[in-house]
Amino acid sequence: MIVQTIAFYLFAAVTVAAGVMVISARNPVHSVLFLILAFFNAAGLFVLMGAEFIAMVLVIVYVGAVAVLFLFVVMMLDINFVELRQGFLQYLPIGALIGIVLMAELVLVFAGWAFAPEDTTVKAAPTPPAAEATNTHALGNILYTDYIYAFQAAGVILLIAMIGAIVLTLRAREGVRKQRIGDQLGRGRDDAVELKKVQPGSGV
Amino acid sequence: MTDALPELTLILPELILVCGGMALLMVGAFTGDRSYHSVSWVSVLVILGAGVAASATTEPRTTLFGDQFVVDAFGHFMKWLVFIGSALAIVMSFGYNRRERIGRPEYPILIVFATLGMSMMISANDLISLYVGLELQSLALYVIAAFRRDSARSSEAGLKYFVLGALSSGMLLYGCSMVYGFAGSTGFETLAGLFSRADAAPEIGVVVGLVFVIAGLAFKISAVPFHMWTPDVYQGAPTPVTAFFAIAPKVAAMALFVRVLVGPFFDLFQQWQQIVVFIAILSMILGALAAIWQTNIKRLLAYSSIGHVGFALVGLAAGSTDGVRGVAIYMAVYLVMTAGTFCCVLAMRQNGRMVENLTDLAGLSRNAPLMALALAIFMFSMAGIPPLAGFFSKLYVFLAAVDAGLYTLAVIGVLTSVISAFYYLRIVKIMYFDEPAEAFDKPMGRSLAAIVAVSSVLVVAFIAFQTPIVRAAEVAAAVLFFS
């Protein structure tokens, strides 16, 4: 138990610290790297909660894809981040005010939190006990049975997204030299090598 | 697992669409642009095949996949309309796409996938399948709107549609999560049972969720005040795409709107009726007034379609079987009129260039008398002049509204109908009485001419064979009131 508590405070502290660094780091590349650190620690928190599937998805999707995409965007786009940051102090009061208002709203919401009495009677997808099935198993169990229709449809949506991206951006450019593997392999010795009978002393 | 297979015969239309779409995608990917024509025709066949499969299943109301998908008469009726609309849209696009050099096989394939999404929307019986179907449809539509990627207007239309569509999806999802949070279920039947059981007033959270769901869906049918995207997207998108937008997705979204309000939320009728009345009135008024100042025919038709959505919503506001029957008939007639009108718009070419201004139609009666006659028929019908189809479709929704005691709504409907007659008739006046402008290129194309001919005959002769359509709409409407 004590190990878990220590781990929780470690992960939580690093997450918060990394979050602060994301918005305060001078170099945008450092910001993205701190963001990745925050994701990793959040994944650790999920593992502590027993939600190992979400933890792994967080690492794979957010760290593996989204954060790397950010990194590319930050490095490829030539944005002057120092200029963007100017006026930070100027906007600080109003930003802090909005933050306090949001905080107050959150406190109010959580103070008045109550579960509807009916929600136990109509549970759409009852969760199996944690001892009997792992997260992944339990999710797969309903995803591939009860929700197979939505799952397949989501696959078609992704297919359309792919078609759309290709249709709207792929252009056949002129003057592009493409590798033609067939031609390369079909090249025989006769096409490539020529035997020259060189007379002695006359040069080529 | 053994009982999963027989279910598949009931979703045959959707299976045909998704498998056909993917197979055509392979053909298109490997053969490139030269297969545009053949892929288009096969797409039309795929969509019509799905339509045949939809009408082949005659089982009474059945739900599949753990109640996420429903097959019923209402779905069949609306799916037929959508399939016809999509097939027409592909056929209408041939000439335009060839001339503008945007004929690529992805175009019909995206329409097939959009049709799949619409079909799934119509059959949705769960908030999750509703959202998935809607998103499938919308995503394909965003891409088609920007299909003419070298044109700034087309790209702008696609982007605008995408941003506002994403906003509406957000609102819809927010509403869905509110409903789920307060009711504890996403299934339409469970929700309907829950609301009918509640003896006291429904929880405020459910009502808030319902409002957001309505707002999200109102975006999709472009009802005021969620119509802002319509004129710009209609004007910016390539004309055959505009025709497609005006025909198929609107019918599908309207079907979904009706199914959601009359299905799970029917017992909250008190709550949603005011909203529907409100957006119906606003849509009718804006559709009638804003179109008066338009000079671009695509923009004018955009406002006209907003107005038509308002009229159709009058039937829904009645909240009765007659009202829903009116909506179904209205959408059927709207589809025919709009398809014909857009074929005429597609034929507006001068020296190989598309023209879109109303003044370009001047003196059309002398240059192309048949086209002018057909366009005049469509305009009279849209204005609701008897004995054309548009009159009867309005009649059915207004009668339902009067039966339900919504006299104010019906009166406003008739008044706005009269106002909107002004700009429809102005087009007729421009065509018949103004000095002839430059003639349009001829011929308009065989497929366009055929669609114009068939739809104008349908509009004129609607009175003669309306009985089967009205009967089918009645059956479709009756099945919705299950609770």
Side-chain angles (χ1 to χ4, degrees), chain A residues 118 122 124 146-150 153-154 156-157 159-161 163-164 167-171, chain B residues 25 65 68-69 104 106 113 120 128-129 132 136 139-140 143 146-147 149-150 183-184 203:
Chain A
E118 301 90 18
V122 272
D146 294 352
Y147 292 99
I148 183 71
Y149 172 71
V156 182
I157 293 180
L159 176 69
I160 293 180
I163 302 173
V167 163
L168 293 181
T169 55
L170 184 72
R171 285 166 194 276
Chain B
L25 191 61
F65 299 110
Q68 289 194 33
F69 189 90
R104 282 183 289 157
E106 288 87 356
F113 279 120
M120 287 166 58
I128 293 177
S129 52
V132 169
L136 182 57
L139 201 57
V143 180
F147 201 79
R149 56 190 186 181
D150 295 319
E203 285 194 64

Short mmCIF file of all heavy atoms in Angstrom, two decimals, chain A residues 118 122 124 146-150 153-154 156-157 159-161 163-164 167-171, chain B residues 25 65 68-69 104 106 113 120 128-129 132 136 139-140 143 146-147 149-150 183-184 203:
data_model
loop_
_atom_site.label_atom_id
_atom_site.label_comp_id
_atom_site.label_asym_id
_atom_site.label_seq_id
_atom_site.Cartn_x
_atom_site.Cartn_y
_atom_site.Cartn_z
N GLU A 118 -32.18 6.24 -10.35
CA GLU A 118 -32.57 5.25 -11.35
C GLU A 118 -31.38 4.60 -12.03
O GLU A 118 -31.52 3.58 -12.69
CB GLU A 118 -33.44 5.89 -12.44
CG GLU A 118 -34.72 6.54 -11.95
CD GLU A 118 -34.49 7.99 -11.61
OE1 GLU A 118 -33.48 8.56 -12.05
OE2 GLU A 118 -35.31 8.54 -10.86
N VAL A 122 -31.05 0.93 -14.82
CA VAL A 122 -30.81 0.81 -16.25
C VAL A 122 -29.33 1.00 -16.53
O VAL A 122 -28.90 2.07 -16.93
CB VAL A 122 -31.63 1.83 -17.07
CG1 VAL A 122 -32.98 1.27 -17.40
CG2 VAL A 122 -31.77 3.13 -16.32
N ALA A 124 -26.41 0.22 -18.92
CA ALA A 124 -26.30 -0.27 -20.30
C ALA A 124 -25.27 -1.40 -20.40
O ALA A 124 -25.52 -2.43 -21.01
CB ALA A 124 -25.90 0.87 -21.22
N ASP A 146 -21.73 -6.43 -28.43
CA ASP A 146 -22.86 -5.50 -28.38
C ASP A 146 -22.67 -4.34 -29.35
O ASP A 146 -23.62 -3.86 -29.95
CB ASP A 146 -23.00 -4.93 -26.96
CG ASP A 146 -23.39 -6.00 -25.97
OD1 ASP A 146 -23.67 -7.12 -26.43
OD2 ASP A 146 -23.39 -5.73 -24.76
N TYR A 147 -21.43 -3.87 -29.46
CA TYR A 147 -21.22 -2.66 -30.24
C TYR A 147 -20.49 -2.94 -31.54
O TYR A 147 -19.83 -2.06 -32.08
CB TYR A 147 -20.47 -1.63 -29.41
CG TYR A 147 -21.31 -1.12 -28.28
CD1 TYR A 147 -21.17 -1.61 -26.99
CD2 TYR A 147 -22.31 -0.19 -28.52
CE1 TYR A 147 -21.98 -1.16 -25.97
CE2 TYR A 147 -23.12 0.25 -27.51
CZ TYR A 147 -22.95 -0.23 -26.23
OH TYR A 147 -23.77 0.21 -25.23
N ILE A 148 -20.61 -4.16 -32.06
CA ILE A 148 -19.90 -4.51 -33.29
C ILE A 148 -20.34 -3.60 -34.43
O ILE A 148 -19.55 -3.21 -35.29
CB ILE A 148 -20.13 -6.00 -33.64
CG1 ILE A 148 -19.35 -6.41 -34.85
CG2 ILE A 148 -21.59 -6.31 -33.86
CD1 ILE A 148 -17.88 -6.48 -34.63
N TYR A 149 -21.62 -3.23 -34.42
CA TYR A 149 -22.15 -2.38 -35.49
C TYR A 149 -21.46 -1.01 -35.49
O TYR A 149 -20.93 -0.56 -36.52
CB TYR A 149 -23.65 -2.24 -35.29
CG TYR A 149 -24.32 -1.24 -36.19
CD1 TYR A 149 -24.47 -1.51 -37.54
CD2 TYR A 149 -24.81 -0.05 -35.70
CE1 TYR A 149 -25.08 -0.60 -38.36
CE2 TYR A 149 -25.42 0.86 -36.51
CZ TYR A 149 -25.56 0.58 -37.84
OH TYR A 149 -26.15 1.49 -38.65
N ALA A 150 -21.41 -0.39 -34.31
CA ALA A 150 -20.77 0.92 -34.23
C ALA A 150 -19.28 0.79 -34.52
O ALA A 150 -18.68 1.68 -35.14
CB ALA A 150 -21.00 1.53 -32.84
N ALA A 153 -18.77 0.50 -38.23
CA ALA A 153 -19.09 1.78 -38.87
C ALA A 153 -17.95 2.77 -38.64
O ALA A 153 -17.61 3.55 -39.54
CB ALA A 153 -20.40 2.33 -38.32
N ALA A 154 -17.38 2.74 -37.43
CA ALA A 154 -16.25 3.64 -37.16
C ALA A 154 -15.10 3.33 -38.11
O ALA A 154 -14.40 4.23 -38.57
CB ALA A 154 -15.81 3.50 -35.71
N VAL A 156 -15.41 2.28 -41.18
CA VAL A 156 -15.74 2.88 -42.48
C VAL A 156 -15.48 4.39 -42.44
O VAL A 156 -15.01 4.98 -43.41
CB VAL A 156 -17.20 2.58 -42.87
CG1 VAL A 156 -17.50 3.17 -44.23
CG2 VAL A 156 -17.45 1.10 -42.88
N ILE A 157 -15.77 5.01 -41.28
CA ILE A 157 -15.51 6.45 -41.17
C ILE A 157 -14.03 6.73 -41.37
O ILE A 157 -13.64 7.66 -42.09
CB ILE A 157 -15.97 6.97 -39.80
CG1 ILE A 157 -17.47 6.88 -39.68
CG2 ILE A 157 -15.52 8.40 -39.58
CD1 ILE A 157 -18.01 7.36 -38.37
N LEU A 159 -11.96 4.95 -43.03
CA LEU A 159 -11.65 4.74 -44.45
C LEU A 159 -11.98 5.99 -45.26
O LEU A 159 -11.20 6.43 -46.11
CB LEU A 159 -12.44 3.53 -44.97
CG LEU A 159 -12.29 3.25 -46.46
CD1 LEU A 159 -10.89 2.76 -46.76
CD2 LEU A 159 -13.30 2.23 -46.93
N ILE A 160 -13.14 6.58 -44.95
CA ILE A 160 -13.53 7.79 -45.69
C ILE A 160 -12.57 8.92 -45.40
O ILE A 160 -12.20 9.68 -46.31
CB ILE A 160 -14.96 8.20 -45.33
CG1 ILE A 160 -15.92 7.15 -45.84
CG2 ILE A 160 -15.31 9.54 -45.94
CD1 ILE A 160 -17.34 7.46 -45.54
N ALA A 161 -12.14 9.03 -44.15
CA ALA A 161 -11.18 10.08 -43.82
C ALA A 161 -9.91 9.91 -44.65
O ALA A 161 -9.35 10.88 -45.16
CB ALA A 161 -10.85 10.03 -42.33
N ILE A 163 -9.68 8.32 -47.62
CA ILE A 163 -9.98 8.67 -49.02
C ILE A 163 -9.97 10.18 -49.18
O ILE A 163 -9.40 10.73 -50.12
CB ILE A 163 -11.35 8.12 -49.45
CG1 ILE A 163 -11.42 6.61 -49.29
CG2 ILE A 163 -11.67 8.50 -50.88
CD1 ILE A 163 -12.81 6.06 -49.54
N GLY A 164 -10.62 10.86 -48.21
CA GLY A 164 -10.72 12.31 -48.31
C GLY A 164 -9.36 12.98 -48.31
O GLY A 164 -9.09 13.84 -49.14
N VAL A 167 -7.77 12.28 -51.70
CA VAL A 167 -8.43 12.97 -52.81
C VAL A 167 -8.11 14.44 -52.81
O VAL A 167 -7.86 15.05 -53.86
CB VAL A 167 -9.96 12.75 -52.71
CG1 VAL A 167 -10.70 13.76 -53.56
CG2 VAL A 167 -10.32 11.37 -53.13
N LEU A 168 -8.10 15.05 -51.62
CA LEU A 168 -7.95 16.50 -51.58
C LEU A 168 -6.51 16.96 -51.67
O LEU A 168 -6.25 18.10 -51.99
CB LEU A 168 -8.58 17.05 -50.30
CG LEU A 168 -10.09 16.89 -50.23
CD1 LEU A 168 -10.63 17.48 -48.95
CD2 LEU A 168 -10.76 17.55 -51.41
N THR A 169 -5.56 16.09 -51.39
CA THR A 169 -4.18 16.59 -51.35
C THR A 169 -3.24 15.93 -52.35
O THR A 169 -2.25 16.54 -52.72
CB THR A 169 -3.57 16.41 -49.95
OG1 THR A 169 -3.68 15.03 -49.60
CG2 THR A 169 -4.29 17.24 -48.94
N LEU A 170 -3.52 14.72 -52.78
CA LEU A 170 -2.56 14.04 -53.65
C LEU A 170 -2.63 14.61 -55.06
O LEU A 170 -3.69 14.65 -55.67
CB LEU A 170 -2.85 12.53 -53.68
CG LEU A 170 -1.84 11.73 -54.50
CD1 LEU A 170 -0.51 11.67 -53.78
CD2 LEU A 170 -2.35 10.34 -54.75
N ARG A 171 -1.50 15.05 -55.56
CA ARG A 171 -1.47 15.58 -56.92
C ARG A 171 -0.40 14.84 -57.70
O ARG A 171 0.68 14.58 -57.18
CB ARG A 171 -1.12 17.07 -56.91
CG ARG A 171 -2.26 17.91 -56.46
CD ARG A 171 -1.78 19.28 -56.13
NE ARG A 171 -2.80 19.99 -55.39
CZ ARG A 171 -3.81 20.61 -55.96
NH1 ARG A 171 -3.92 20.65 -57.27
NH2 ARG A 171 -4.72 21.22 -55.24
N LEU B 25 -13.59 1.16 -54.87
CA LEU B 25 -12.41 1.92 -54.46
C LEU B 25 -11.14 1.24 -54.97
O LEU B 25 -10.21 1.90 -55.45
CB LEU B 25 -12.38 2.02 -52.94
CG LEU B 25 -11.37 2.98 -52.34
CD1 LEU B 25 -11.66 4.38 -52.81
CD2 LEU B 25 -11.43 2.91 -50.83
N PHE B 65 -28.58 -6.00 -33.91
CA PHE B 65 -27.36 -5.60 -33.20
C PHE B 65 -27.69 -5.04 -31.82
O PHE B 65 -27.28 -3.93 -31.49
CB PHE B 65 -26.58 -4.57 -34.00
CG PHE B 65 -26.13 -5.07 -35.32
CD1 PHE B 65 -26.69 -4.59 -36.47
CD2 PHE B 65 -25.13 -6.03 -35.41
CE1 PHE B 65 -26.28 -5.06 -37.70
CE2 PHE B 65 -24.73 -6.50 -36.63
CZ PHE B 65 -25.30 -6.02 -37.78
N GLN B 68 -29.59 -1.62 -31.89
CA GLN B 68 -28.95 -0.39 -32.38
C GLN B 68 -29.42 -0.01 -33.77
O GLN B 68 -29.17 1.10 -34.22
CB GLN B 68 -27.42 -0.58 -32.42
CG GLN B 68 -26.82 -0.63 -31.06
CD GLN B 68 -25.33 -0.47 -31.12
OE1 GLN B 68 -24.80 0.23 -31.96
NE2 GLN B 68 -24.66 -1.12 -30.22
N PHE B 69 -30.03 -0.93 -34.46
CA PHE B 69 -30.34 -0.74 -35.87
C PHE B 69 -31.77 -1.22 -36.06
O PHE B 69 -32.13 -2.29 -35.60
CB PHE B 69 -29.37 -1.59 -36.69
CG PHE B 69 -29.42 -1.34 -38.16
CD1 PHE B 69 -28.62 -0.39 -38.74
CD2 PHE B 69 -30.26 -2.09 -38.96
CE1 PHE B 69 -28.65 -0.17 -40.10
CE2 PHE B 69 -30.30 -1.87 -40.32
CZ PHE B 69 -29.48 -0.92 -40.89
N ARG B 104 -13.17 12.09 -61.32
CA ARG B 104 -12.29 11.08 -60.76
C ARG B 104 -13.14 10.02 -60.08
O ARG B 104 -14.23 10.33 -59.57
CB ARG B 104 -11.32 11.73 -59.76
CG ARG B 104 -10.19 12.46 -60.49
CD ARG B 104 -9.21 13.03 -59.53
NE ARG B 104 -9.77 14.14 -58.80
CZ ARG B 104 -9.32 14.54 -57.63
NH1 ARG B 104 -8.35 13.88 -57.04
NH2 ARG B 104 -9.85 15.59 -57.03
N GLU B 106 -13.12 8.69 -57.33
CA GLU B 106 -13.47 8.87 -55.92
C GLU B 106 -14.81 9.58 -55.75
O GLU B 106 -15.47 9.43 -54.72
CB GLU B 106 -12.38 9.68 -55.19
CG GLU B 106 -11.09 8.93 -54.96
CD GLU B 106 -10.15 9.06 -56.14
OE1 GLU B 106 -10.55 9.68 -57.16
OE2 GLU B 106 -9.02 8.55 -56.05
N PHE B 113 -20.48 6.05 -50.25
CA PHE B 113 -20.27 5.98 -48.81
C PHE B 113 -21.18 6.96 -48.08
O PHE B 113 -21.68 6.66 -46.98
CB PHE B 113 -18.81 6.24 -48.46
CG PHE B 113 -17.94 5.04 -48.65
CD1 PHE B 113 -16.88 5.05 -49.53
CD2 PHE B 113 -18.19 3.88 -47.94
CE1 PHE B 113 -16.08 3.94 -49.71
CE2 PHE B 113 -17.40 2.76 -48.11
CZ PHE B 113 -16.35 2.79 -49.00
N MET B 120 -27.65 4.44 -42.78
CA MET B 120 -27.46 4.07 -41.37
C MET B 120 -28.13 5.07 -40.45
O MET B 120 -28.65 4.71 -39.39
CB MET B 120 -25.96 3.99 -41.07
CG MET B 120 -25.31 2.77 -41.68
SD MET B 120 -23.53 2.85 -41.67
CE MET B 120 -23.19 3.06 -39.96
N ILE B 128 -25.81 6.07 -30.22
CA ILE B 128 -24.47 5.81 -30.75
C ILE B 128 -24.53 5.55 -32.25
O ILE B 128 -23.78 6.14 -33.04
CB ILE B 128 -23.83 4.61 -30.02
CG1 ILE B 128 -23.58 4.98 -28.57
CG2 ILE B 128 -22.53 4.20 -30.69
CD1 ILE B 128 -23.02 3.88 -27.75
N SER B 129 -25.46 4.70 -32.68
CA SER B 129 -25.54 4.42 -34.12
C SER B 129 -26.00 5.67 -34.87
O SER B 129 -25.61 5.89 -36.02
CB SER B 129 -26.44 3.23 -34.40
OG SER B 129 -27.67 3.38 -33.79
N VAL B 132 -22.79 7.71 -35.26
CA VAL B 132 -21.84 7.09 -36.19
C VAL B 132 -22.33 7.24 -37.63
O VAL B 132 -21.56 7.62 -38.52
CB VAL B 132 -21.65 5.61 -35.81
CG1 VAL B 132 -20.90 4.90 -36.89
CG2 VAL B 132 -20.92 5.49 -34.50
N LEU B 136 -20.48 9.45 -40.55
CA LEU B 136 -20.08 8.78 -41.78
C LEU B 136 -20.56 9.57 -42.99
O LEU B 136 -19.81 9.83 -43.94
CB LEU B 136 -20.69 7.37 -41.78
CG LEU B 136 -20.39 6.44 -42.93
CD1 LEU B 136 -18.92 6.27 -43.08
CD2 LEU B 136 -21.03 5.09 -42.68
N LEU B 139 -18.79 13.23 -43.12
CA LEU B 139 -17.38 13.24 -43.52
C LEU B 139 -17.25 13.11 -45.03
O LEU B 139 -16.46 13.81 -45.67
CB LEU B 139 -16.65 12.10 -42.81
CG LEU B 139 -15.15 12.25 -42.71
CD1 LEU B 139 -14.82 13.54 -42.00
CD2 LEU B 139 -14.58 11.10 -41.91
N ALA B 140 -18.06 12.22 -45.61
CA ALA B 140 -18.02 12.07 -47.06
C ALA B 140 -18.48 13.36 -47.73
O ALA B 140 -17.92 13.78 -48.75
CB ALA B 140 -18.89 10.90 -47.49
N VAL B 143 -15.83 16.17 -47.91
CA VAL B 143 -14.83 15.96 -48.95
C VAL B 143 -15.41 16.30 -50.32
O VAL B 143 -14.76 16.96 -51.13
CB VAL B 143 -14.32 14.50 -48.91
CG1 VAL B 143 -13.30 14.29 -49.99
CG2 VAL B 143 -13.73 14.18 -47.56
N ALA B 146 -15.53 19.97 -51.23
CA ALA B 146 -14.26 20.56 -51.63
C ALA B 146 -13.65 19.81 -52.80
O ALA B 146 -12.46 19.94 -53.08
CB ALA B 146 -13.30 20.56 -50.46
N PHE B 147 -14.49 19.04 -53.52
CA PHE B 147 -13.92 18.12 -54.50
C PHE B 147 -13.19 18.85 -55.62
O PHE B 147 -12.21 18.35 -56.17
CB PHE B 147 -15.02 17.24 -55.09
CG PHE B 147 -14.50 15.98 -55.70
CD1 PHE B 147 -14.17 14.91 -54.89
CD2 PHE B 147 -14.31 15.86 -57.06
CE1 PHE B 147 -13.67 13.75 -55.42
CE2 PHE B 147 -13.80 14.70 -57.60
CZ PHE B 147 -13.49 13.65 -56.78
N ARG B 149 -10.79 20.94 -56.06
CA ARG B 149 -9.85 21.50 -55.11
C ARG B 149 -9.06 22.66 -55.67
O ARG B 149 -8.43 23.40 -54.92
CB ARG B 149 -8.88 20.42 -54.63
CG ARG B 149 -8.18 19.76 -55.78
CD ARG B 149 -7.42 18.56 -55.30
NE ARG B 149 -6.64 18.04 -56.40
CZ ARG B 149 -5.89 16.99 -56.31
NH1 ARG B 149 -5.80 16.34 -55.19
NH2 ARG B 149 -5.20 16.58 -57.35
N ASP B 150 -9.08 22.87 -56.99
CA ASP B 150 -8.37 24.01 -57.55
C ASP B 150 -9.18 25.29 -57.46
O ASP B 150 -8.67 26.36 -57.75
CB ASP B 150 -8.01 23.74 -59.01
CG ASP B 150 -7.03 22.58 -59.09
OD1 ASP B 150 -6.13 22.53 -58.23
OD2 ASP B 150 -7.20 21.73 -59.98
N ALA B 183 -30.70 9.82 -18.29
CA ALA B 183 -31.66 8.74 -18.48
C ALA B 183 -31.00 7.38 -18.30
O ALA B 183 -31.68 6.40 -18.02
CB ALA B 183 -32.29 8.84 -19.87
N GLY B 184 -29.69 7.30 -18.48
CA GLY B 184 -28.99 6.05 -18.22
C GLY B 184 -29.00 5.08 -19.37
O GLY B 184 -28.64 3.92 -19.20
N GLU B 203 -36.86 15.02 -16.20
CA GLU B 203 -35.76 15.74 -15.58
C GLU B 203 -35.26 16.85 -16.50
O GLU B 203 -35.25 16.71 -17.71
CB GLU B 203 -34.61 14.77 -15.30
CG GLU B 203 -34.91 13.90 -14.11
CD GLU B 203 -33.66 13.21 -13.64
OE1 GLU B 203 -32.75 13.92 -13.20
OE2 GLU B 203 -33.60 11.98 -13.73
#
